[in-house]
Amino acid sequence: MEDDDLIRDALRDYAYATPGTSRLDAVRRQATAARRRQRLVRLATAAVVTLVIGGVIAWIALARPPAAPPVNPTPSPSATPTPTPTPAAGYPEQSRASHGLPTGGLGDTVEGLTLIDVEITDAECPDATACPGLGTLTVENSTNEPISAFVYFNVFRNNTPAVSDAQRVQLAPGESATVTIDVQPALADSAPVGRTGSIYSWNFSVELA
Amino acid sequence: MGSDEGGPPEDFESWAQNHWHRLLGIARIVTGDPTLADDVLQDCLVDIYQRWDRISGEGSHPLAYAARIMGSKAANQRRTAWGRRVHVTDDAAILDASGGEETGSIDNRMIVAGALRNLSARQRQVVAMHYLLDMSVADIAAELDQPTGSVTSDLTRARQRLRTDLTGGGDLAHGG
């Protein structure tokens, strides 16, 4: 026990003999610098992580294969060209009457039937160019009475009536119907000239049944 | 208990100023090198400053925590070339810092410095906690997160070694 006291005294004498050179202000400076370093390291780490994540996302986005284009069958040379739907605007509306019936264009009401939609599909004329083929007209009964009528699709070539064909409709008030009228055979017989050689126009007329 | 005195918690600066002398003493024992002690103490205080809110909480023992931190910092410093270079100057540092004192005291401190150098870092740490902080073996074991048996063993071996080194080379005068 006496040795233990001796050791304690000797150690304390050694430990507390002289003042050191460390200073509290130096500790404070060092701690502040350490904090600043720590903050910079955190910022740098965050920046690196952000860049890496952004890079990975960009890489994944760029590496993704583009959507495969739809595979179209190769048309055989003998195949008939597929009719291409052409908006009615592709053909001007004709204001001339056809066979004495009242006529109109898109949005017009003739004999109580309003043309609410029209689509003209090109077909192949004998001269291997396109000319009007199918006329698809949607008409609506705008009256309060049922209507039974023939809806005519009239095609003009160079402002002259070329062909006209009709389908019958029976519509209750407010009801609509779509009729498809094929004018291509008659047109081909009468004038085998496509759109490149002539100006085609159209209108519709209604004959009450 | 953040103040190490059982009073209300102190702020870091008050605590460091109040315990500066003891902290430096712990550093000297833990390192066995007065010059290295200054650097280790400073590094240790930087750590404590940054963690003061946690360290100074209820039931904590900041001086014991400091002794633990100093042990690992001293071990790290001694692994570096810089640490080894500083180590050879410690006897001169004792002489430089003891100007005007009795020769006997200086001799005793040089013997103590030599004896501490013969201890392992863990033994110096245990010795500092036991002889300077008056901590029991159980408290030291709890602070260092070591089995009590290991601490007892370290302390016993350190005590034997110190007894031999401090008394074997001649009479050790009571200093202090």
Side-chain angles (χ1 to χ4, degrees):
Chain A
M1 198 61 184
E2 194 179 326
D3 281 348
D4 213 38
D5 291 339
L6 186 73
I7 292 168
R8 177 176 281 106
D9 289 345
L11 287 173
R12 290 189 174 189
D13 175 60
Y14 171 82
Y16 304 135
T18 55
T21 57
S22 297
R23 293 290 177 269
L24 199 54
D25 54 349
V27 169
R28 211 178 296 119
R29 272 200 308 276
Q30 211 172 325
T32 308
R35 271 187 191 167
R36 199 174 298 138
R37 261 199 315 276
Q38 207 172 25
R39 218 173 293 141
L40 281 173
V41 167
R42 278 184 193 156
L43 273 174
T45 308
V48 168
V49 167
T50 306
L51 279 175
V52 168
I53 291 173
V56 167
I57 290 170
W59 182 79
I60 289 170
L62 290 174
R64 186 185 295 166
V71 179
N72 291 323
T74 307
S76 64
S78 59
T80 307
T82 310
T84 310
T86 307
Y91 290 96
E93 290 179 10
Q94 176 59 251
S95 58
R96 275 188 67 171
S98 180
H99 41 77
L101 294 173
T103 60
L106 186 63
D108 292 339
T109 300
V110 178
E111 302 283 7
L113 295 181
T114 304
L115 183 65
I116 56 175
D117 191 28
V118 62
E119 189 173 281
I120 299 170
T121 306
D122 274 344
E124 189 181 20
C125 274
D127 65 351
T129 59
C131 56
L134 290 178
T136 306
L137 291 78
T138 304
V139 290
E140 185 184 69
N141 182 354
S142 302
T143 68
N144 295 324
E145 301 290 331
I147 292 178
S148 178
F150 290 96
V151 175
Y152 284 84
F153 177 48
N154 310 309
V155 175
F156 298 77
R157 183 191 302 119
N158 298 330
N159 294 319
T160 304
V163 64
S164 182
D165 202 354
Q167 281 198 10
R168 186 171 182 168
V169 294
Q170 286 182 307
L171 296 172
E175 195 181 9
S176 63
T178 299
V179 295
T180 301
I181 299 163
D182 189 357
V183 296
Q184 194 270 339
L187 201 61
D189 286 342
S190 66
V193 182
R195 292 182 68 176
T196 48
S198 303
I199 296 172
Y200 287 95
S201 54
W202 71 278
N203 61 23
F204 88 107
S205 51
V206 175
E207 182 186 0
L208 293 174
Chain B
M1 177 102 177
S3 65
D4 283 304
E5 305 291 341
E10 300 169 289
D11 63 20
F12 170 78
E13 286 197 25
S14 309
W15 173 82
Q17 277 167 355
N18 291 341
H19 298 282
W20 190 267
H21 201 52
R22 294 184 83 187
L23 285 163
L24 184 59
I26 296 166
R28 282 177 176 167
I29 299 295
V30 166
T31 59
D33 182 330
T35 310
L36 186 59
D38 279 327
D39 295 318
V40 166
L41 173 58
Q42 195 147 319
D43 283 354
C44 166
L45 286 176
V46 170
D47 272 20
I48 292 176
Y49 180 78
Q50 291 175 323
R51 298 175 175 81
W52 181 246
D53 287 345
R54 273 180 284 158
I55 294 166
S56 62
E58 189 73 21
S60 63
H61 192 337
L63 283 175
Y65 179 83
R68 176 154 68 89
I69 296 294
M70 283 182 206
S72 58
K73 291 207 175 285
N76 289 340
Q77 293 245 14
R78 285 201 179 277
R79 283 190 204 109
T80 64
W82 179 85
R84 285 192 295 275
R85 183 176 61 78
V86 171
H87 179 74
V88 300
T89 66
D90 56 2
D91 287 346
I94 292 170
L95 290 171
D96 288 347
S98 306
E101 289 193 55
E102 291 176 14
T103 312
S105 297
I106 298 168
D107 287 345
N108 283 350
R109 286 171 202 151
M110 290 179 73
I111 292 168
V112 172
L116 285 171
R117 254 178 266 149
N118 288 330
L119 301 181
S120 70
R122 174 53 57 88
Q123 286 172 342
R124 281 197 299 273
Q125 194 173 33
V126 170
V127 161
M129 294 171 101
H130 180 69
Y131 287 108
L132 297 192
L133 299 181
D134 294 323
M135 289 173 72
S136 68
V137 169
D139 289 344
I140 295 170
E143 183 64 39
L144 298 180
D145 198 21
Q146 292 284 320
T148 313
S150 299
V151 175
T152 305
S153 170
D154 280 337
L155 191 58
T156 304
R157 287 177 197 281
R159 196 181 279 142
Q160 284 170 352
R161 185 81 209 196
L162 286 170
R163 189 182 296 126
T164 304
D165 287 350
L166 297 181
T167 60
D171 290 336
L172 184 67
H174 274 271

